Amino acid sequence: MSKKDKIDVELGQLLKKEAFDAAPNQWFTHRVMHKLPIKKNNSALHFAWFFYIAAALVCVGYWLWLFFFNDNSVITVRDLLYFAIAGIVTAILAFSPIVAMFRRE
């Protein structure tokens, strides 16, 4: 941060002395505030991120269980159904950030 020298101080005083003093207007703040963009509510976004991360952790847990702890000597229709559902959910989770990124542009 640079220190103010004598010229900066004199210039500041000159600007304060010669500045235009606007008359008070009670409707100015009201008009300005209504022209500002509406503030977004981010609670839904945080809620969505929580569920996205929870779903990703469930998918990772399922795939770890499938490959390391599941008995693969017998494959049932239920196993195929779970595998298909987990594959679809994993694909949705993998591609949803990419789709959201392209939608913003």
Side-chain angles (χ1 to χ4, degrees):
M1 212 159 139
S2 64
K3 294 184 178 183
K4 292 183 180 180
D5 59 2
K6 184 179 176 185
I7 297 173
D8 291 332
V9 173
E10 289 176 3
L11 181 61
Q13 290 172 351
L14 179 67
L15 288 173
K16 285 180 185 176
K17 185 175 78 171
E18 298 294 328
F20 176 73
D21 189 22
N25 184 345
Q26 65 181 359
W27 294 105
F28 176 75
T29 304
H30 180 72
R31 286 192 315 248
V32 170
M33 294 303 288
H34 282 290
K35 291 188 188 267
L36 292 175
I38 297 172
K39 184 178 178 184
K40 291 182 180 179
N41 185 0
N42 288 337
S43 60
L45 180 64
H46 296 309
F47 198 64
W49 270 107
F50 170 75
F51 279 107
Y52 181 81
I53 291 171
L57 290 175
V58 168
C59 280
V60 167
Y62 174 77
W63 290 113
L64 288 174
W65 173 80
L66 180 68
F67 289 120
F68 294 115
F69 303 109
N70 190 23
D71 180 23
N72 292 327
S73 61
V74 177
I75 298 176
T76 64
V77 174
R78 183 190 70 186
D79 292 335
L80 294 175
L81 182 66
Y82 285 173
F83 183 78
I85 292 171
I88 291 169
V89 171
T90 303
I92 290 171
L93 285 174
F95 289 113
S96 64
I98 297 169
V99 170
M101 182 175 58
F102 285 117
R103 275 191 6 206
R104 286 188 205 140
E105 292 180 0

